[in-house]
């Protein structure tokens, strides 16, 4: 019985899935980001990534750019050169941060997709009752533009970037 009391609220939280607001504009409703002179354009999106109840915060060169819910996307102008990215989830999510560097060329559009999985890998009895063990994997993929645009058109709503970030 203890498991059902604890598992029901957890299941409700996970199944409620933090998603982009239905009032946010879709990809096709947002004007396309065209490269500015001397700048590249970076699109970041999350069609589906577990854990679903949290939104990872995306930072570029240590500056928070956007927090992406399920089915959300954003874009930003990026100066050419090597940039360091961090996708960081809430500590409570159990999802590890992902950090990497990428080189940007002016006049080019780039697409990064946030993905991840979280699976129950076992249970054990402990002093506080039943302990549930999860394995979580967080990733960033860089699909080709055609594939990324196809995903964005079918899934995603625009999340405004943090204007002061870059």
């Amino acid at each position: 019985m203890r498991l059902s009391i604890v598992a029901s609220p957890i299941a409700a939280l996970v199944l409620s899935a933090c998603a982009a607001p239905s009032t946010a504009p879709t990809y096709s409703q947002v004007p396309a980001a065209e490269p500015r002179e001397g700048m590249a354009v970076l699109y970041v999106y999350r069609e589906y990534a577990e854990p679903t109840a949290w939104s990872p915060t995306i930072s570029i060169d240590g500056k928070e750019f956007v927090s992406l819910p399920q089915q959300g996307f954003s874009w930003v102008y990026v100066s050419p050169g090597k940039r360091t990215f961090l996708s960081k989830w809430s500590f409570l999510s159990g999802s590890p941060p992902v950090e990497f560097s990428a080189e940007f060329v002016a006049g080019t559009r780039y697409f990064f997709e946030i993905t991840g999985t979280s699976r129950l890998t076992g249970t054990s009895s402990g002093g506080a009752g039943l302990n549930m063990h999860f394995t979580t994997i967080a990733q960033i993929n860089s699909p080709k533009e055609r594939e990324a645009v196809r995903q964005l058109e079918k899934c995603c709503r625009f999340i405004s970037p943090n204007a002061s970030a870059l």
Side-chain angles (χ1 to χ4, degrees):
M1 184 57 114
R2 173 177 255 176
L3 175 61
S4 63
I5 293 171
V6 173
S8 295
I10 291 171
L13 178 64
V14 171
L15 294 175
S16 69
C18 181
S22 61
T23 56
T26 64
Y27 176 79
S28 60
Q29 294 170 328
V30 174
E34 296 302 325
R36 290 182 182 165
E37 181 145 349
M39 302 293 275
V41 176
L42 169 65
Y43 281 83
V44 179
Y45 66 100
R46 177 183 177 196
E47 181 177 9
Y48 180 82
E50 295 173 359
T52 59
W54 286 275
S55 297
T57 300
I58 312 303
S59 299
I60 302 173
D61 294 334
K63 298 176 185 172
E64 289 187 7
F65 152 51
V66 71
S67 182
L68 276 184
Q70 293 286 45
Q71 299 179 339
F73 83 96
S74 194
W75 62 263
V76 67
Y77 289 106
V78 180
S79 299
K82 188 175 184 178
R83 301 283 166 250
T84 301
F85 292 84
L86 176 65
S87 171
K88 188 173 182 180
W89 298 77
S90 163
F91 170 77
L92 296 174
S93 75
S95 190
V98 176
E99 185 173 8
F100 69 99
S101 294
E103 189 77 31
F104 289 90
V105 175
T108 306
R109 291 177 7 141
Y110 297 87
F111 296 84
F112 291 157
E113 178 186 17
I114 308 296
T115 64
T117 58
S118 185
R119 301 287 179 248
L120 178 65
T121 55
T123 59
S124 63
S125 296
L130 181 67
N131 295 316
M132 301 168 81
H133 306 279
F134 290 86
T135 298
T136 302
I137 298 170
Q139 297 177 298
I140 306 250
N141 297 324
S142 183
K144 294 188 187 275
E145 183 169 348
R146 184 178 302 169
E147 178 186 337
V149 168
R150 196 171 16 245
Q151 284 180 282
L152 285 163
E153 286 174 340
K154 78 174 186 177
C155 83
C156 299
R157 295 188 172 274
F158 183 69
I159 305 300
S160 295
N162 179 355
S164 65
L166 304 171

